[in-house]
Amino acid sequence: MITWWALVFTIPADKTGYQKMQNGMCIGVYYEDGTVISPDEKVEYTCVNTGAPAPSWA
Amino acid sequence: MAANTAPIYSIAGDVNSVAALNSGLVVGPTANTAQDGSGTLYKAFTAGANGSFVQKMRFRSVVSPAATVCRVFISSSSTTSATVTWLYDEITLPALSVSQTAASSVFELPMNFALPANYLLYVTFGTSTGSTGTGYSIVTIAGDY
């Protein structure tokens, strides 16, 4: 089952996003607009909601 | 002639935790993907004034964290940066479900090295483990020289 976790970024600042989860595994991290974040990219974020509604672009 | 031909032993045990050094925080909800020591790192251990022998780090899940990777850094300064903070090791931490009738899995990262005086160990996580309070308790087992 796919679930979406809402994220607040501190790097880069003032951005939000989503962590896409399946069976306890992260299968993607995205900015709010749906831009996927590469594992190479330096980001810092905190989960603020593990029961967020799926984004419109999902 | 070598300066020290006899083995030395720690004089006192030194056990510390990420929670104790970060106001009781359960770490994991905040992810930091940097591998160069930049961004927010959580202090796990500080070596004593004469250095410390660090035996291991032990990872125990709190609530039901999602899978992630924990990165362990060695830093020569409490002001972490890419120049003084170095990625030392990583450990894979799987998704776990809390149980009140069975022990959850525990993970250990063997270290077994002498940490110079006042050097520090820090940790970060590659992805978020969940909401506030869902993550890991990390304890470092060491002895001070």
Side-chain angles (χ1 to χ4, degrees):
Chain A
M1 184 178 113
I2 301 289
T3 59
W4 296 86
W5 292 5
L7 310 176
V8 172
F9 286 79
T10 47
I11 299 174
D14 303 324
K15 282 189 175 289
T16 59
Y18 297 92
Q19 192 167 293
K20 186 179 183 181
M21 304 296 296
Q22 185 173 36
N23 301 326
M25 295 287 297
C26 172
I27 56 173
V29 183
Y30 305 84
Y31 289 121
E32 181 73 29
D33 64 1
T35 303
V36 67
I37 298 171
S38 157
D40 296 337
E41 195 172 339
K42 290 182 195 174
V43 294
E44 186 175 305
Y45 59 86
T46 300
C47 171
V48 294
N49 181 5
T50 56
S56 57
W57 44 259
Chain B
M1 185 174 177
N4 182 7
T5 58
I8 60 171
Y9 299 94
S10 54
I11 195 168
D14 189 354
V15 177
N16 219 323
S17 75
V18 174
L21 297 169
N22 294 276
S23 305
L25 187 69
V26 174
V27 286
T30 296
N32 174 5
T33 62
Q35 293 176 279
D36 62 359
S38 62
T40 302
L41 294 86
Y42 295 104
K43 189 186 298 181
F45 183 78
T46 304
N50 296 312
S52 299
F53 182 83
V54 183
Q55 184 187 2
K56 62 186 175 183
M57 289 182 108
R58 191 171 164 92
F59 301 78
R60 175 65 80 175
S61 62
V62 178
V63 194
S64 301
T68 189
V69 60
C70 182
R71 298 191 170 100
V72 179
F73 294 82
I74 296 174
S75 184
S76 62
S77 171
S78 58
T79 304
T80 56
S81 70
T83 52
V84 299
T85 308
W86 319 298
L87 179 61
Y88 170 69
D89 212 344
E90 298 180 330
I91 184 169
T92 300
L93 299 170
L96 292 170
S97 295
V98 67
S99 169
Q100 302 305 337
T101 56
S104 58
S105 300
V106 65
F107 304 92
E108 289 191 352
L109 186 63
M111 304 186 101
N112 294 320
F113 64 80
L115 192 62
N118 303 315
Y119 273 43
L120 305 103
L121 299 176
Y122 287 88
V123 296
T124 63
F125 292 84
T127 55
S128 175
T129 56
S131 53
T132 302
T134 299
Y136 278 87
S137 167
I138 304 174
V139 175
T140 304
I141 309 295
D144 291 342
Y145 291 121

